[in-house]
Amino acid sequence: NDVIQLNDQWVERTSGTLSIKQEWSGVERITETARVFLLWDKSRPVFSIEKSAVPDRAQLRSLRQWLRGKKPGHFLQDADAGPTRS
């Protein structure tokens, strides 16, 4: 399973021995879809945070609020939030 870590400087995905890190300074905006948060530079997605990695709706709401505070973008309302792990 992938592990996603976020802090004020970067977001990182680790899967087995592979690790990918994206600094927030390289992210211009965020687009939320039913299944994922897409992090964009000026013209293309550079990172994604899958909602299936979020354990429950309360943590999904917290993540959405935190991401809204980091970068501008398009975010769904909670009723349209999409899947989380059960």
Side-chain angles (χ1 to χ4, degrees), residues 43-61:
S43 61
R44 62 185 169 84
V46 293
F47 201 91
S48 65
I49 302 171
E50 289 77 12
K51 291 180 179 179
S52 61
V54 180
D56 57 50
R57 288 221 183 266
Q59 288 187 28
L60 180 62
R61 282 191 296 272

Side-chain angles (χ1 to χ4, degrees), residues 3-86:
V3 174
I4 298 175
Q5 296 180 317
L6 301 104
N7 66 34
D8 285 333
Q9 286 76 42
W10 44 260
V11 57
E12 180 178 31
R13 175 190 326 267
T14 304
S15 181
T17 59
L18 178 65
S19 179
I20 300 169
K21 189 182 286 188
Q22 173 63 51
E23 293 188 11
W24 287 112
S25 61
V27 175
E28 295 286 321
R29 62 186 167 91
I30 300 170
T31 301
E32 180 182 1
T33 72
R35 297 190 178 273
V36 68
F37 294 94
L38 292 173
L39 284 55
W40 295 74
D41 66 8
K42 291 182 181 182
S43 61
R44 62 185 169 84
V46 293
F47 201 91
S48 65
I49 302 171
E50 289 77 12
K51 291 180 179 179
S52 61
V54 180
D56 57 50
R57 288 221 183 266
Q59 288 187 28
L60 180 62
R61 282 191 296 272
S62 294
L63 174 61
R64 183 183 298 110
Q65 183 177 17
W66 191 84
L67 291 171
R68 279 182 175 146
K70 288 302 290 177
K71 296 291 175 173
H74 172 74
F75 295 91
L76 300 178
Q77 298 299 317
D78 189 49
D80 303 323
T84 59
R85 284 195 313 221
S86 298

